[in-house]
Amino acid sequence: MIYDLFKEKKKGSVKKIVIIAVIAAVLIIGAIIACTIYLNIIQLDEISNKLGNFSSVYIKNLIYKVISFLTAFISIFVVISVTNIFIKRNMNNYIESNGLEKRYLPNLPIAAIMSLFGAFIAQNMIYSKILSFLNFVPFGKTDPIFGKDIGYYVFQRPFLLTIYQFLLTLWIIVIIYTVIYYLTMLVSFYKTLTLENLKVKTILIHNLVNISILFIIKAFSYKFQSEGIVYSNFIDLKGAGYVDVNIWLKYFTFAPYLLMAIVIIAFAFILRNKLKGAAISIAVFPVVWIIVLIIAGVFQSFVVKPNALHYEKNYIKYNMEMTRSAFNFNKISSYDFPKMQSLTPEIINNNLDTVNNIRVVDYKATLDSDIQLQSITNFYTFKDGDIINYLINGKQTPIFITAREIDKSKLADQQKTYINNMFKYTHGYGVVVNPINKITAQGQVDFLLKDLRMESVDETNLKVTEPRIYYGEITDDVVITNPPGAVDKEKEIDYGNITTSYNGNGGIKLTLLNRLLFALKFSDLNMLISGNVDNNSKILLNREIISRVEMAVPFLKIDSEPYIVLSKDGRLKWILDAYTSTNDFPYSQEYDSVNYIRNSVKISVDAYNGNVECYIIDKTDPIIESYKKMYPEVFKTEVLPTYISEHMRYPESLLMTQTEVLKRYHLDPADSTKDNISMFYTNQDTWNIAKYPDSTNSEGVTDIAPYYNMIKLPGKIGQTEELILMRPFTPSGNKHNMVSWLAVRNSSAVYGDMILFNFPKNTNILGTDQVEININQITEISETMTLLGQRESKVFKGSLLVIPIENSVLYVEPLYIQADSPSAIPQVRKVVVGYQKGNDFKHGIGNTLNEALVNLFKDTEGPAVNPGGSDTPGTTGDTIDKATQAKVKEFLDTIKKGIDSSTSAYDDLLSLLQDKKIIK
């Protein structure tokens, strides 16, 4: 052989190039990973405006991901490497004994590649479960079959099960890999592979040993399979049924011993070179499983199913108890109305605070009105609004509040420049507050806080000191701001010629490194070259509040309906609800992918600074306590701020979930006065959500969504009017009468308390769709809708509300008119009220709620209705406090002194002001 110096040098050069390329690739990947970690950390620190609060979550998760990755990598690498050692030894012996040409048998490269891929997949499966396992918190409640604390099923079992599944999957891969490796090598030796070529004793032994080890691993699975019966299904219920407990549980207890015996017998056959006997021994196990399967099926079909209630009664009870616990129904208190009364003027007059707080405006119509009347500029808009309670002029009042956010899509095309988008149009401006119980003389929404100057009827409780909204529901872009006094920088636009410069502590300083990284992240070269950016500039990002909070606390489920409030110092704060949930609560019925849920956290986001603060509000929830142990720096330990505690609002989506489950699980198995288990099984007392007509729905009706009311709860439960969230129920099937309604209290002292108000069984209470049918049959309503619907106008009804008052029910529905134009403003033209008297529906119609109530009882003998509200046309919105009334009276007295006492001018003016309820 001739040594070729040039060729050897060329080989060396290629090798060096490959090494350099690999090193360069590793460095580049490492730099990308490092930059990604750095960007994530500084963004998370910016969200809390404090080092470590939320970045600690990211860092801890990252550490455990790395630990999980390395553990999985090493485990897979060792197993594959050892497997390859046995394969290579067997193949080398085979090659040598058959005089075949030696072949290169790769080992470490295959093990490394397989380990890399396997570890990437395994890390995300394992890391979060490790954290839960290590931060176990007991529930203080056990499952009914094994007597284990629920915390074991929620925190510990998922981790143990994941480890088992990892090992099982790994060994199945080893078995497949071993077979493929042997076949590939044998095929490379023989053009035609025959059965005789496969009968290699060492190779067969290796594969049989692999299968035996799989059986040993499988033996450990029966612990999890036996526990897993609490997640089985029987008669459409979650949990273990009679057959699960009495047949399958016994099989799962016996199976590991059978399996170990089979493995021992198989090994004995292998050691005696009786491979056929080993194979037959292994085949016994699936045969036994098939026999048990047949026995269980026959017993279920011919013994249990014909007498299901007898055999399954205890297990049905377990399902009922655990589901009610998981969805917090054990905290529901029931109130049974002793009897129902027809509504009377006396009842109305005795509950004026409830009556005067009834919502007479609709969500969508109010929002549409605010968009038309209060957007003011072409770049502001409103996404949605929310009902909360506020102390206004000394009185608790339900209000509709909505944020005026920026919407750059509404800018004219010529305005959509880079400068405008990035530096000038950066924020929303203020909020609009509407009373939900009042309308103007024109039937339009009224205002308690309005316009860009933040004009307020109560400068104490509705005073805005910082109206700018840099973080919001639809504020989802990136902007760059400059500090006040920055020279030669674009100013941010509030409205008109009024400009501002951001002076908050939100945002990230654009140092040279940050500018470079964010320019790469957003593919925006202008960040590097723009004269509007320097080291003092800030980039504001992650401004959409839901995604901002999800980034900060990814382990919580964030409600999709945040609401905005005013703090005592006039700052705007977004409030978000966060949930803990799981699908691992044993015996609990699943709804919407969860079978346990709690509203355990309230989160605030400052609309100006973007600060995110998390407060635990349910310390009885073991899951949130576990998270608190995992991430101790996330949750605030201070008392709940007043801007949250004074405006607590139970989430509609949570009540929607709970009421869907409650339709069947309102029956309490612990109630010894009723055979609730039998009634549950036979669906004798299943409910539906009350419905109302909906032409857009294929069924013609739609479930009523939960809605807020300011009422005094019936009986001795409520001492005064309070904001509640409620939803009514009707019987299942084609029955439409109301049977019950669920109320959830919102004030901080009783937050989340649920009361189920049940109507008497022998009384037929009109359901909402029945009331709607009655309203549609009112001649005046049909004529009014026909008349108002002319001249290119559309007429539509608002939400039909059920208002419980003492032992009576008042129904209220507004009637709207709106011109057929994109800029048209909805107007309430009529309000329909009604109540049930016997089997009849009594109604009253008026231009206002007060007028409708007066008309409701105009033919009734006895005292007249005197609602005394402020929705009378011409006076709506003129809520005059006592101090203002005193000033008006003083002014009138001054006028009187200066005029002839014989004139009636003073008396006429005084009567007019009293008639208009401006003064008493």
Side-chain angles (χ1 to χ4, degrees):
M1 182 176 179
I2 300 173
Y3 181 77
D4 190 331
L5 179 62
F6 177 76
K7 191 173 182 180
E8 292 301 318
K9 282 185 176 181
K10 189 175 180 180
K11 284 182 180 178
S13 299
V14 171
K15 187 176 181 180
K16 286 181 181 178
I17 292 171
V18 170
I19 293 172
I20 292 171
V22 170
I23 293 173
V26 170
L27 291 175
I28 291 171
I29 292 171
I32 292 172
I33 293 172
C35 290
T36 301
I37 293 172
Y38 169 75
L39 284 177
N40 285 331
I41 289 174
I42 63 173
Q43 288 179 79
L44 288 165
D45 286 340
E46 183 269 340
I47 287 175
S48 63
N49 287 307
K50 184 179 178 181
L51 296 177
N53 268 28
F54 299 124
S55 62
S56 65
V57 176
Y58 174 76
I59 292 170
K60 177 169 278 191
N61 288 349
L62 187 62
I63 290 171
Y64 276 85
K65 281 184 179 180
V66 171
I67 293 172
S68 300
F69 176 86
L70 292 175
T71 303
F73 181 88
I74 292 170
S75 302
I76 298 170
F77 186 83
V78 169
V79 169
I80 298 298
S81 296
V82 170
T83 298
N84 281 338
I85 290 172
F86 281 102
I87 292 174
K88 289 177 72 173
R89 188 184 67 180
N90 291 337
M91 287 308 303
N92 285 332
N93 290 338
Y94 180 77
I95 290 169
E96 185 177 340
S97 61
N98 288 275
L100 299 171
E101 181 183 353
K102 286 190 175 183
R103 301 287 176 87
Y104 170 67
L105 302 175
N107 186 347
L108 294 181
I110 292 178
I113 293 171
M114 292 181 68
S115 301
L116 199 61
F117 280 106
F120 271 119
I121 295 171
Q123 64 172 350
N124 288 323
M125 294 169 52
I126 297 173
Y127 89 91
S128 62
K129 293 182 176 66
I130 295 177
L131 284 167
S132 294
F133 181 83
L134 296 176
N135 294 279
F136 165 85
V137 174
F139 272 63
K141 184 178 179 66
T142 59
D143 79 276
I145 303 299
F146 302 99
K148 294 185 177 181
D149 189 273
I150 305 301
Y152 165 77
Y153 294 94
V154 173
F155 302 116
Q156 296 184 316
R157 184 176 181 273
F159 170 71
L160 298 174
L161 185 58
T162 299
I163 296 302
Y164 160 73
Q165 289 170 340
F166 171 77
L167 293 175
L168 181 67
T169 303
L170 175 58
W171 204 255
I172 290 172
I173 291 172
V174 166
I175 291 172
I176 297 171
Y177 168 77
T178 303
V179 170
I180 292 175
Y181 203 134
Y182 279 126
L183 287 175
T184 302
M185 295 307 301
L186 291 172
V187 166
S188 69
F189 290 120
Y190 304 100
K191 292 182 180 179
T192 303
L193 193 62
T194 65
L195 188 61
E196 288 300 317
N197 300 136
L198 298 176
K199 290 182 178 179
V200 181
K201 182 178 178 181
T202 55
I203 293 176
L204 291 174
I205 290 175
H206 187 184
N207 283 285
L208 286 172
V209 168
N210 280 348
I211 294 173
S212 299
I213 293 174
L214 177 67
F215 275 32
I216 294 173
I217 296 172
K218 179 69 177 173
F220 288 98
S221 75
Y222 291 101
K223 165 185 167 55
F224 302 112
Q225 288 194 57
S226 61
E227 294 168 351
I229 66 172
V230 297
Y231 303 113
S232 298
N233 290 284
F234 70 105
I235 55 173
D236 297 326
L237 299 178
K238 197 78 168 181
Y242 184 89
V243 169
D244 293 312
V245 173
N246 291 279
I247 295 179
W248 284 112
L249 183 55
K250 289 179 172 56
Y251 167 73
F252 294 145
T253 304
F254 164 72
Y257 301 103
L258 173 64
L259 201 55
M260 295 304 296
I262 288 173
V263 169
I264 293 170
I265 293 170
F267 267 108
F269 277 118
I270 291 171
L271 292 175
R272 296 169 61 188
N273 294 325
K274 295 184 178 181
L275 302 182
K276 185 177 180 180
I280 293 172
S281 300
I282 291 172
V284 168
F285 188 75
V287 171
V288 172
W289 177 81
I290 291 170
I291 292 172
V292 174
L293 182 66
I294 293 170
I295 292 171
V298 170
F299 198 82
Q300 177 68 38
S301 299
F302 296 100
V303 179
V304 176
K305 190 174 181 180
N307 302 283
L309 185 58
H310 171 74
Y311 285 100
E312 307 283 20
K313 190 167 187 176
N314 284 337
Y315 308 108
I316 295 171
K317 179 184 177 183
Y318 299 154
N319 173 269
M320 295 171 70
E321 289 174 339
M322 300 299 275
T323 301
R324 287 174 57 82
S325 175
F327 287 94
N328 226 10
F329 296 161
N330 289 340
K331 294 187 176 180
I332 293 179
S333 57
S334 292
Y335 178 87
D336 296 329
F337 287 102
K339 64 177 181 178
M340 297 305 297
Q341 294 176 285
S342 295
L343 205 63
T344 64
E346 290 86 353
I347 293 175
I348 295 292
N349 292 332
N350 290 336
N351 293 273
L352 291 182
D353 284 337
T354 292
V355 172
N356 290 332
N357 280 315
I358 292 174
R359 174 158 64 95
V360 293
V361 294
D362 214 46
Y363 272 95
K364 186 178 184 306
T366 304
L367 184 63
D368 290 345
S369 298
D370 286 345
I371 290 172
Q372 294 300 327
L373 296 171
Q374 287 293 309
S375 294
I376 301 177
T377 69
N378 68 324
F379 51 87
Y380 288 143
T381 192
F382 301 90
K383 179 182 182 288
D384 59 21
D386 299 282
I387 292 177
I388 57 174
N389 64 301
Y390 249 93
L391 186 68
I392 299 176
N393 292 324
K395 184 177 178 61
Q396 282 291 338
T397 306
I399 63 167
F400 183 90
I401 185 169
T402 182
R404 186 185 287 106
E405 295 193 63
I406 192 162
D407 183 359
K408 296 177 187 178
S409 67
K410 295 182 179 296
L411 291 170
D413 290 340
Q414 62 270 23
Q415 291 179 292
K416 295 178 182 178
T417 64
Y418 182 82
I419 295 293
N420 283 346
N421 284 326
M422 186 63 76
F423 301 101
K424 299 182 73 171
Y425 295 97
T426 59
H427 58 275
Y429 200 87
V431 292
V432 172
V433 176
N434 309 104
I436 67 170
N437 57 343
K438 301 173 186 175
I439 53 176
T440 67
Q442 293 75 36
Q444 296 179 5
V445 295
D446 200 359
F447 297 98
L448 300 173
L449 181 64
K450 63 178 182 177
D451 298 338
L452 295 172
R453 296 183 183 276
M454 300 293 109
E455 298 175 11
S456 173
V457 301
D458 185 343
E459 288 293 339
T460 299
N461 295 297
L462 289 180
K463 182 180 181 180
V464 182
T465 58
E466 180 47 78
R468 296 168 187 87
I469 300 174
Y470 284 88
Y471 300 85
E473 288 188 88
I474 59 174
T475 310
D476 59 356
D477 61 343
V478 174
V479 296
I480 295 176
T481 64
N482 291 289
V487 181
D488 298 327
K489 301 291 191 294
E490 294 288 346
K491 297 292 184 182
E492 303 167 52
I493 293 175
D494 282 343
Y495 57 91
N497 295 321
I498 299 177
T499 59
T500 188
S501 293
Y502 184 68
N503 195 30
N505 54 22
I508 299 171
K509 281 282 188 74
L510 284 176
T511 61
L512 182 59
L513 174 61
N514 290 347
R515 287 169 70 180
L516 176 62
L517 293 178
F518 283 119
L520 291 171
K521 177 181 175 67
F522 296 111
S523 302
D524 186 357
L525 182 61
N526 288 305
M527 286 189 187
L528 288 173
I529 64 176
S530 174
N532 282 299
V533 183
D534 60 25
N535 288 341
N536 291 314
S537 301
K538 283 184 174 183
I539 182 170
L540 274 60
L541 67 170
N542 305 312
R543 300 202 297 150
E544 193 275 310
I545 54 174
I546 293 179
S547 60
R548 183 175 180 85
V549 170
E550 287 175 339
M551 183 178 181
V553 282
F555 51 89
L556 296 177
K557 181 180 179 181
I558 308 303
D559 190 84
S560 61
E561 293 294 332
Y563 61 99
I564 198 165
V565 299
L566 267 168
S567 64
K568 294 289 186 183
D569 58 355
R571 298 185 69 87
L572 296 174
K573 303 279 190 177
W574 292 100
I575 310 300
L576 297 91
D577 288 285
Y579 308 115
T580 56
S581 63
T582 183
N583 198 30
D584 292 320
F585 201 97
Y587 259 106
S588 177
Q589 202 70 14
E590 179 182 309
Y591 179 81
D592 199 19
S593 301
V594 300
N595 66 2
Y596 171 96
I597 189 167
R598 292 290 186 274
N599 174 212
S600 300
V601 180
K602 291 282 185 182
I603 300 174
S604 73
V605 182
D606 189 288
Y608 187 74
N609 289 323
N611 297 14
V612 173
E613 296 179 341
C614 303
Y615 298 89
I616 294 175
I617 60 169
D618 185 358
K619 294 183 179 180
T620 65
D621 173 29
I623 296 181
I624 200 61
E625 290 302 312
S626 175
Y627 284 133
K628 185 180 177 181
K629 287 175 65 178
M630 285 184 212
Y631 311 115
E633 297 180 36
V634 168
F635 300 103
K636 295 286 184 179
T637 56
E638 297 90 341
V639 176
L640 202 63
T642 56
Y643 64 80
I644 299 179
S645 62
E646 292 182 358
H647 312 291
M648 296 281 275
R649 201 182 79 133
Y650 197 81
E652 294 172 71
S653 60
L654 177 56
L655 186 65
M656 194 172 295
T657 294
Q658 290 175 310
T659 49
E660 289 295 332
V661 178
L662 193 67
K663 289 191 298 187
R664 189 174 186 189
Y665 287 88
H666 64 90
L667 294 169
D668 186 355
D671 186 352
S672 59
T673 64
K674 303 173 185 176
D675 190 6
N676 281 342
I677 298 175
S678 298
M679 293 175 68
F680 177 88
Y681 170 70
T682 57
N683 291 321
Q684 291 180 41
D685 196 16
T686 303
W687 293 346
N688 278 335
I689 304 299
K691 295 175 170 51
Y692 65 92
D694 182 5
S695 59
T696 63
N697 191 297
S698 59
E699 298 180 358
V701 291
T702 297
D703 290 351
I704 283 183
Y707 58 92
Y708 296 95
N709 267 330
M710 180 76 82
I711 68 171
K712 180 181 177 182
L713 290 170
K716 296 182 180 180
I717 299 172
Q719 302 303 313
T720 185
E721 280 65 28
E722 60 181 287
L723 188 69
I724 62 138
L725 182 63
M726 65 172 288
R727 203 178 195 193
F729 297 94
T730 62
S732 60
N734 293 321
K735 297 180 180 180
H736 302 283
N737 57 294
M738 276 198 302
V739 293
S740 182
W741 57 280
L742 180 68
V744 185
R745 307 177 82 172
N746 288 270
S747 59
S748 58
V750 290
Y751 180 78
D753 285 0
M754 292 184 279
I755 305 107
L756 188 63
F757 293 91
N758 300 305
F759 295 119
K761 294 286 186 182
N762 59 351
T763 304
N764 184 53
I765 306 298
L766 292 176
T768 48
D769 54 341
Q770 293 174 323
V771 171
E772 190 65 50
I773 290 171
N774 276 283
I775 291 175
N776 290 337
Q777 292 174 347
I778 299 172
T779 303
E780 184 179 346
I781 292 297
S782 58
E783 290 177 349
T784 300
M785 293 186 70
T786 301
L787 179 64
L788 295 178
Q790 299 174 358
R791 299 179 182 178
E792 298 183 346
S793 295
K794 60 180 179 180
V795 182
F796 60 94
K797 294 175 181 176
S799 299
L800 175 62
L801 301 182
V802 178
I803 313 295
I805 304 176
E806 295 186 9
N807 292 342
S808 305
V809 175
L810 174 68
Y811 303 90
V812 179
E813 184 175 64
L815 184 65
Y816 280 89
I817 182 174
Q818 185 175 16
D820 191 11
S821 168
S823 60
I825 299 170
Q827 299 176 347
V828 176
R829 280 304 173 89
K830 295 291 179 183
V831 177
V832 185
V833 297
Y835 70 96
Q836 182 178 348
K837 186 174 184 180
N839 292 322
D840 297 330
F841 177 72
K842 300 295 183 180
H843 69 271
I845 304 170
N847 294 328
T848 67
L849 175 63
N850 290 350
E851 185 178 314
L853 287 170
V854 170
N855 290 334
L856 179 63
F857 297 104
K858 65 181 179 180
D859 297 327
T860 304
E861 295 182 2
V865 173
N866 182 25
S870 56
D871 69 344
T872 306
T875 67
T876 303
D878 299 328
T879 305
I880 307 298
D881 59 25
K882 292 180 179 180
T884 306
Q885 290 185 21
K887 291 180 180 179
V888 173
K889 188 70 167 60
E890 182 182 353
F891 174 69
L892 291 176
D893 290 340
T894 303
I895 294 177
K896 186 175 183 180
K897 291 177 182 177
I899 61 177
D900 185 3
S901 60
S902 63
T903 181
S904 63
Y906 170 82
D907 294 330
D908 291 342
L909 178 58
L910 182 61
S911 297
L912 175 64
L913 294 174
Q914 288 175 337
D915 288 343
K916 296 296 185 181
K917 296 184 174 61
I918 294 177
I919 65 172
K920 295 182 179 179

